[in-house]
């Protein structure tokens, strides 16, 4: 012990653990509900001057007694020392849980997953979404509404003003360019929502159109490359809020966020990139110019031909992708012949929960 805290030596490193953290984390039945594991006290129930009075290691457990109050508890030493790594494993949203690919050739090595194999064991496909940003399922029943059933194998449908399901096909009076045959450059969906839908699913019901090929780009990889090659531009895009806005069909949505979102430790956690709905607020001219210079630099990385993985969705193909990381695109297509996708939104928390549960088995 040192100054009422605990100091442990393990694997050649010294680990100092504050007394307040140990008391707050105590796993005993007086501190945690035995069924839910939830804490039975709040911070004001703990003495502000709490200290470890005694500490001893025996049988791979750290046993401590606190003062004032005399509370006693014990910790699994391996779990205690691995706590930092455990927290890292739980963070599936930031770049540290990803395999970045700035060259589409790297992602081309990923084979599509057959629907029957997915149903037998969804974990590998869900892990691919976490690590690579997307997965392509093949042989999914090409039936209206089936896309929501795919989402419900791992989570919950995120309903929006577009409904539980939206049809991606040419419409006579489109409220969104997605419902035309025009080419669409790499983008993330619904950046004007807060929170943004973090997963998107697209199931191909029919595709006999000429053109209309799909594309995917790793936004995290492009952001990481920008950080490496032009740190000033990266800092501008992580600190300058822009407005994403959607007005249509009786809906008014807006979100004010940077293009590149970071977590508390300054790791890349979210990309919002959509030229169709972005508005740059007027500001100091120098700041506006700096933003547009950085914006262009980022777009150049995202739009590099070698950065985009291209493929054609055929009947029964279902693409699941991380809408906070993977930008999607498509080439123009002629309405003749027909191209009909059905889409739905879901969220990564449901997918991550299912993946953890499956991998714990």
């Amino acid at each position: 012990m040192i100054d009422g805290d605990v100091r442990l030596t393990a694997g050649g490193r010294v680990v100092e653990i504050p007394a307040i953290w140990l008391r707050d984390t105590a796993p005993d039945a007086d501190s945690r509900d035995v069924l839910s594991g939830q804490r039975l006290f709040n911070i004001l129930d703990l003495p502000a001057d709490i200290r470890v009075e005694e500490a001893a290691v025996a049988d791979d457990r750290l046993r401590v007694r606190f003062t004032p109050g005399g509370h006693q508890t014990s910790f699994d030493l391996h779990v205690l020392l691995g706590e930092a790594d455990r927290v890292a494993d739980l963070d599936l949203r930031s770049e540290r849980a990803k395999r970045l690919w700035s060259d589409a050739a790297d992602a081309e090595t990923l084979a599509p997953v057959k629907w029957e194999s997915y149903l037998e064991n969804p974990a590998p496909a869900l892990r691919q979404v976490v690590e690579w940003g997307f997965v392509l399922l093949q042989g999914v029943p090409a039936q209206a509404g089936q896309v929501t059933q795919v989402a419900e194998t791992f989570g919950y449908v995120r309903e929006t003003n577009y409904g539980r399901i939206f049809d991606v096909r040419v419409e006579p009076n489109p409220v969104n360019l997605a419902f035309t045959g025009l080419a669409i450059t790499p983008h993330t969906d619904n950046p004007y929502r807060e929170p943004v839908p973090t997963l998107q699913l697209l199931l191909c019901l029919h595709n006999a159109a000429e053109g209309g090929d799909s594309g995917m780009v790793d936004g995290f990889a492009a952001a990481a490359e920008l950080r490496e090659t032009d740190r000033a531009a990266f800092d501008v895009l992580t600190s300058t809020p822009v407005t994403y806005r959607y007005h249509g069909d009786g809906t008014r949505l807006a979100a004010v966020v940077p293009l590149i979102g970071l977590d508390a430790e300054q790791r890349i956690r979210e990309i919002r990139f959509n030229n169709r709905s972005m508005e740059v607020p007027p500001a100091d001219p120098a700041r506006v110019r700096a933003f547009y210079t950085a914006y262009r630099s980022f777009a150049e990385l995202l739009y590099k031909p070698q950065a985009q993985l291209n493929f054609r969705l055929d009947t029964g193909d279902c693409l699941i992708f991380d809408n906070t990381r993977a930008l999607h695109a498509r080439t123009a297509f002629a309405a003749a012949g027909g191209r009909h996708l059905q889409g739905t939104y879901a969220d990564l928390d449901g997918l991550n929960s299912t993946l953890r549960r499956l991998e714990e088995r």
Side-chain angles (χ1 to χ4, degrees):
M1 292 190 301
I2 181 171
D3 295 331
D5 296 328
V6 169
R7 177 174 287 181
L8 299 171
T9 302
R13 62 186 178 124
V14 176
V15 179
E16 186 172 335
I17 309 174
I20 183 61
W21 186 92
L22 285 168
R23 181 63 189 93
D24 189 48
T25 314
D28 56 88
D30 290 332
S31 301
R32 303 273 178 163
D33 179 71
V34 295
L35 294 179
S36 67
Q38 294 183 339
R39 194 176 279 107
L40 296 173
F41 57 88
N42 66 57
I43 186 62
L44 298 182
D45 294 324
L46 303 181
D49 58 346
I50 195 165
R51 298 162 55 86
V52 173
E53 186 176 29
E54 290 185 11
V57 174
D59 301 324
D60 290 328
R61 296 195 71 83
L62 171 68
R63 305 180 189 281
V64 297
R65 183 169 73 240
F66 299 94
T67 186
H71 185 84
Q72 299 184 59
T73 192
S74 69
F75 300 84
D76 182 303
L77 200 58
H78 298 294
V79 172
L80 187 66
L81 294 173
E83 183 66 19
D85 294 332
R86 187 185 72 84
V87 172
D89 290 341
L90 291 177
D91 176 20
L92 299 181
R93 289 290 303 277
S94 81
E95 62 182 299
R96 67 177 170 182
K98 314 301 182 186
R99 298 190 184 190
L100 306 188
W101 49 279
S102 56
D103 190 329
D106 295 332
E108 285 175 345
T109 61
L110 300 171
V113 177
K114 298 298 184 183
W115 178 239
E116 295 81 4
S117 298
Y118 171 80
L119 292 177
E120 290 176 4
N121 181 15
L126 301 183
R127 172 56 64 180
Q128 184 178 316
V129 175
V130 170
E131 294 186 355
W132 291 85
F134 74 97
V135 71
L136 180 63
L137 305 181
Q138 288 185 330
V140 178
Q143 301 169 355
Q146 176 68 30
V147 69
T148 60
Q149 296 181 42
V150 177
E152 288 166 350
T153 63
F154 61 77
Y156 305 93
V157 170
R158 169 83 176 272
E159 188 166 357
T160 70
N161 59 295
Y162 299 116
R164 281 174 58 83
I165 296 172
F166 54 89
D167 292 283
V168 183
R169 58 187 172 187
V170 175
E171 296 182 353
N173 297 299
V175 297
N176 191 305
L177 290 182
F179 309 142
T180 71
L182 297 174
I184 299 180
T185 54
H187 65 284
T188 61
D189 262 21
N190 286 220
Y192 37 75
R193 294 187 194 278
E194 193 61 68
V196 68
T198 50
L199 283 175
Q200 184 172 169
L201 293 82
L202 290 170
L203 172 62
C204 181
L205 301 184
H206 174 70
N207 191 1
E210 182 177 345
D213 290 348
S214 299
M216 303 225 76
V217 177
D218 186 351
F220 277 24
E225 185 175 351
L226 184 68
R227 180 178 57 199
E228 181 68 23
T229 60
D230 191 345
R231 184 57 191 251
F234 179 83
D235 290 343
V236 167
L237 296 186
T238 58
S239 62
T240 305
V242 299
T243 301
Y244 290 103
R245 194 186 306 272
Y246 175 83
H247 287 180
D249 196 26
T251 302
R252 301 290 184 268
L253 297 168
V256 182
V257 292
L259 269 69
I260 303 173
L262 306 178
D263 67 11
E265 297 184 6
Q266 303 303 297
R267 288 183 290 258
I268 300 163
R269 192 175 190 270
E270 179 179 281
I271 304 296
R272 298 202 197 197
F273 190 95
N274 191 314
N275 65 293
R276 288 173 283 147
S277 58
M278 185 181 77
E279 301 173 5
V280 181
D284 173 75
R287 189 178 183 191
V288 170
R289 293 188 194 100
F291 171 80
Y292 275 102
T293 299
Y295 178 32
R296 177 180 292 275
S297 296
F298 191 32
E300 287 172 348
L301 296 173
L302 292 168
Y303 292 171
K304 286 191 306 185
Q306 64 268 32
Q308 183 167 311
L309 176 66
N310 297 306
F311 51 92
R312 181 179 177 84
L313 289 176
D314 291 317
T315 301
D317 288 348
C318 184
L319 183 64
I320 306 173
F321 59 94
D322 179 348
N323 186 51
T324 66
R325 173 191 177 186
L327 286 70
H328 61 292
R330 72 151 188 248
T331 61
F333 65 94
R339 179 182 186 271
H340 185 190
L341 310 182
Q342 278 198 332
T344 194
Y345 295 113
D347 283 304
L348 280 163
D349 57 356
L351 184 150
N352 292 341
S353 172
T354 299
L355 178 60
R356 291 188 186 104
R357 177 173 52 82
L358 292 171
E359 291 185 339
E360 283 172 0
R361 293 178 180 175

